């Protein structure tokens, strides 16, 4: 969910500005980041209105544990299962406060 407009530091880009608070995570996002995120979710999963349950979510803890313990993690799954859209969310949500997170999603033809 989201809360009324505020003027704080964005949890995504770090800039201070007007934006919205994600009441589910407690993170504040400036309007450009909030809109970019909503568009990305809707593009990746047009059937979803916001967030919904995707197959990859059943593996969240296992993915986070593997990422914590290994330098490289490859994730294979069916098209539309949430690999590209939800795994970055898992990593950002699972990071320590103020820890910078970098995620690279590639799309190889074969694993």
């Amino acid at each position: 969910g989201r809360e009324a407009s505020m003027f704080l530091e964005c949890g995504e880009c770090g800039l201070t500005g007007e934006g919205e608070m994600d009441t589910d995570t407690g993170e504040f996002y400036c309007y450009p980041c909030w809109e970019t995120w909503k568009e990305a979710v809707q593009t990746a999963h047009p059937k979803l209105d916001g967030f919904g349950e995707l197959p990859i979510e059943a593996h969240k803890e296992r993915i986070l544990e593997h990422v914590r313990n290994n330098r490289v993690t490859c994730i294979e799954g069916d098209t539309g299962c949430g690999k590209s859209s939800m795994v970055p969310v898992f990593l950002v949500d699972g990071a320590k406060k103020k820890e910078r997170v970098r995620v690279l999603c590639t799309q190889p033809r074969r694993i």
Side-chain angles (χ1 to χ4, degrees):
R2 67 183 219 200
E3 215 169 83
S5 296
M6 304 175 145
F7 193 80
L8 299 167
E9 182 179 315
C10 178
E12 181 70 21
C13 68
L15 297 176
T16 301
E18 191 174 7
E20 301 196 28
M21 182 74 69
D22 183 332
T23 56
D24 294 329
T25 65
E27 283 289 331
F28 174 82
Y29 298 96
C30 66
Y31 282 128
C33 289
W34 184 267
E35 292 303 317
T36 299
W37 177 248
K38 285 192 327 188
E39 288 173 18
V41 169
Q42 290 170 352
T43 299
H45 302 286
K47 296 177 190 169
L48 298 178
D49 181 21
F51 296 98
E53 190 71 23
L54 294 169
I56 197 78
E57 293 182 52
H59 305 282
K60 178 180 178 177
E61 292 307 318
R62 190 169 138 213
I63 291 167
L64 289 174
E65 184 67 25
H66 192 276
V67 169
R68 284 185 198 107
N69 294 321
N70 297 277
R71 291 185 66 204
V72 176
T73 300
C74 293
I75 298 172
E76 179 183 14
D78 292 336
T79 300
C81 74
K83 300 177 302 291
S84 297
S85 61
M86 295 308 297
V87 172
V89 174
F90 298 164
L91 298 174
V92 170
D93 288 349
K96 297 174 185 168
K97 243 354 180 190
K98 302 291 180 184
E99 179 180 21
R100 184 175 178 104
V101 177
R102 294 181 182 180
V103 179
L104 173 65
C105 293
T106 63
Q107 296 183 15
R109 297 290 175 216
R110 293 191 179 109
I111 294 180

